[in-house]
Amino acid sequence: MKKILVTGGAGYIGSHTVVDLIEHGYEVISVDNYCRSDARMLLGIEAITGKKITNYAIDLCSLTDTRKVFEENPDLVGIIHFAAYKAVGESVEQPLLYFENNLQSLINLLKCVQEFRIPNFVFSSSCTVYGEPEKIPVTEATPLQPATSPYGLTKQTGEQMLEAFVKTNSCSVLLLRYFNPAGAHPTAQIGELPIGRPQNLVPAITQTAIGVIDHLQVHGTDYSTRDGSCIRDFIHVCDLAQAHTQGIQLLEKEGTSNHCKPINLGSGTGMTVLECIHAFEKVSGAKLNWSVGPRRPGDVIAIYANNEKAKTLLGWEARYGIDDIMATAWAWEQRYRSGQTVLGS
Ligand code: NAD
Ligand code: WQD
């Protein structure tokens, strides 16, 4: 069995990807120190796959600890690197925390890639690298805008570091630029577990509906869009997970090529915030308590992906739409809150 190292395997996208990799015949080891996740998420993965997950609960910012993982696993065919901090607002408050965690972890991993000659590397990037684009949908050739947050800067810098790294190292890299990941595994055993009050729209909707937060504020309906609210490209986390498996398969098939390719991972469809609320109310039958508030500083007005490159290169296509995203996110929220998942509540 081919062995993949997933960093951030207990996190939201990492956990769904571990499931998908196992279902496609890979052996997976994870590195996650649970600094932004719940260790019990691994139980959810085990409940779905029937496989025990090996996780190294080490900090990737320690080179010594990171090297040990590679020493114990000399047969890795690839790495999928999810582990990072991702809260935009927190990064504005504490930029050094973000530079250190997101960039030091990447540097340490790349030192190990070099030393242990790991041929394939997949990097979690983000549509945040495009900023407020002049034209939508955005392709991978759309010019990147200056980062609007220290978090965004770590993604742009990470991409640039990898582009430079492959020039002199026998390693192939994919830079996967996620749009707005949302939804949960159809079994409702794993899903998104935001820390504190959710900043992202879909968990804010489901937590409002279940009563964890009392109401959803829509951040502005005075934008120049079809209903005045912002436009985003929501992509189901299981579609995202599958793209990572297909990414690893592509890298393996191509052989080491010293390439560093950016690929957009979005549905290709823009949805407004109000359309998302309506989709949620339709699939859940629940009436959401929401009101219109002021614009959120730093919000991009409208962005969605041109995903032709993902289709052509990876043979990838989104299987789930906005209704599936809302239905699975809602099922997860309900099961988790009522203590019906293996995680408890
Ligand atoms: P997450 O916070 O759920 O998962 C990240 C995991 O990495 C957590 O389990 C955390 O404990 C772990 N981690 C962080 N720093 C670590 C360190 N130094 N050592 C060991 N473990 C560490 O986040 P996610 O939503 O699954 O995102 C995964 C990746 O995708 C991140 O790189 C994020 O920036 C990127 N991304 C996320 C989104 C999104 O909206 N969720 C969008 C675009 C890009
Ligand atoms: C979507 C829309 C909000 C919550 C963020 C990061 C980005 C990337 C994806 C990592 C916006 C509106 C939200 C609420 C609302 N992450 N909204 N009320 O801003 O597109 O991107 O996640 O790389 O870097 O910035 O996602 O889910 O926060 O917001 O009205 O309570 O929903 O204003 O228009 P965003 P989001």
Side-chain angles (χ1 to χ4, degrees), residues 7-15 31-38 41 56-62 81-87 100-102 105 123-128 151 154-155 176-182 191-193 195 200 237 240 244:
T7 74
Y12 174 43
I13 308 171
S15 58
V31 169
D32 198 312
N33 63 354
Y34 312 125
C35 60
R36 294 292 158 109
S37 54
D38 188 322
M41 196 64 98
Y56 292 83
I58 58 124
D59 185 346
L60 288 161
C61 293
S62 159
H81 179 40
F82 292 105
Y85 294 157
K86 63 168 181 180
E100 183 167 22
N101 191 60
N102 293 4
S105 56
F123 178 65
S124 290
S125 190
S126 166
C127 67
T128 194
Y151 166 73
T154 67
K155 291 300 172 191
L176 299 186
R177 294 176 178 162
Y178 317 150
F179 281 65
N180 289 68
E192 194 167 5
L193 273 182
I195 296 169
N200 293 124
V237 67
L240 214 48
H244 288 77

Side-chain angles (χ1 to χ4, degrees), residues 13-330:
I13 308 171
S15 58
H16 289 79
T17 302
V18 171
V19 169
D20 198 80
L21 286 166
I22 291 172
E23 285 173 350
H24 285 86
Y26 288 94
E27 181 183 351
V28 180
I29 58 161
S30 164
V31 169
D32 198 312
N33 63 354
Y34 312 125
C35 60
R36 294 292 158 109
S37 54
D38 188 322
R40 295 172 303 167
M41 196 64 98
L42 300 178
L43 300 177
I45 301 176
E46 288 172 13
I48 298 168
T49 62
K51 290 254 161 52
K52 181 106 190 71
I53 308 300
T54 301
N55 181 63
Y56 292 83
I58 58 124
D59 185 346
L60 288 161
C61 293
S62 159
L63 180 59
T64 310
D65 291 347
T66 305
R67 271 195 89 254
K68 278 193 197 129
V69 177
F70 286 81
E71 278 167 358
E72 287 182 23
N73 297 277
D75 49 346
L76 291 173
V77 299
I79 299 174
I80 307 181
H81 179 40
F82 292 105
Y85 294 157
K86 63 168 181 180
V88 174
E90 183 185 54
S91 81
V92 174
E93 301 289 323
Q94 299 185 70
L96 291 180
L97 186 74
Y98 274 67
F99 298 153
E100 183 167 22
N101 191 60
N102 293 4
L103 298 178
Q104 191 59 57
S105 56
L106 178 58
I107 291 168
N108 287 348
L109 273 175
L110 292 183
K111 283 183 177 171
C112 293
V113 166
Q114 190 171 55
E115 181 181 345
F116 295 89
R117 297 175 184 277
I118 313 296
N120 302 308
F121 193 94
V122 177
F123 178 65
S124 290
S125 190
S126 166
C127 67
T128 194
V129 299
Y130 295 115
E132 180 81 61
E134 277 174 18
K135 258 175 67 183
I136 44 175
V138 290
T139 72
E140 292 78 0
T142 296
L144 308 190
Q145 303 290 338
T148 53
S149 71
Y151 166 73
L153 187 56
T154 67
K155 291 300 172 191
Q156 290 186 343
T157 308
E159 287 198 359
Q160 288 168 14
M161 280 163 52
L162 284 158
E163 275 159 19
F165 178 80
V166 295
K167 293 212 167 86
T168 53
N169 287 276
S170 297
C171 182
S172 307
V173 173
L174 294 181
L175 309 171
L176 299 186
R177 294 176 178 162
Y178 317 150
F179 281 65
N180 289 68
H185 195 270
T187 59
Q189 291 288 4
I190 55 174
E192 194 167 5
L193 273 182
I195 296 169
R197 194 181 171 97
Q199 301 303 309
N200 293 124
L201 181 64
V202 175
I205 288 176
T206 56
Q207 288 198 13
T208 303
I210 204 102
V212 173
I213 52 181
D214 64 346
H215 107 287
L216 176 86
Q217 193 172 86
V218 174
H219 301 315
T221 51
D222 57 349
Y223 289 102
S224 55
T225 60
R226 53 185 174 263
D227 62 19
S229 62
C230 291
I231 292 178
R232 293 291 184 275
D233 183 337
F234 294 89
I235 177 78
H236 196 285
V237 67
C238 291
D239 281 331
L240 214 48
Q242 195 185 28
H244 288 77
T245 306
Q246 289 173 317
I248 285 288
Q249 288 167 342
L250 173 74
L251 293 178
E252 281 189 282
K253 196 174 80 193
E254 282 185 337
T256 303
S257 62
N258 298 70
H259 279 156
C260 184
K261 294 180 186 151
I263 302 180
N264 286 343
L265 291 178
S267 69
T269 304
M271 297 287 298
T272 71
V273 172
L274 295 181
E275 286 165 353
C276 289
I277 293 174
H278 297 142
F280 175 79
E281 289 184 328
K282 186 183 79 181
V283 301
S284 67
K287 191 91 195 87
L288 204 66
N289 183 20
W290 64 274
S291 66
V292 178
R295 291 181 177 196
R296 185 170 72 176
D299 262 347
V300 164
I301 302 168
I303 187 164
Y304 60 97
N306 172 316
N307 59 16
E308 283 307 314
K309 195 169 172 188
K311 288 182 182 164
T312 314
L313 265 187
L314 303 179
W316 174 83
E317 195 116 30
R319 292 165 296 166
Y320 298 99
I322 193 71
D323 288 356
D324 308 304
I325 287 173
M326 293 301 178
T328 54
W330 182 225

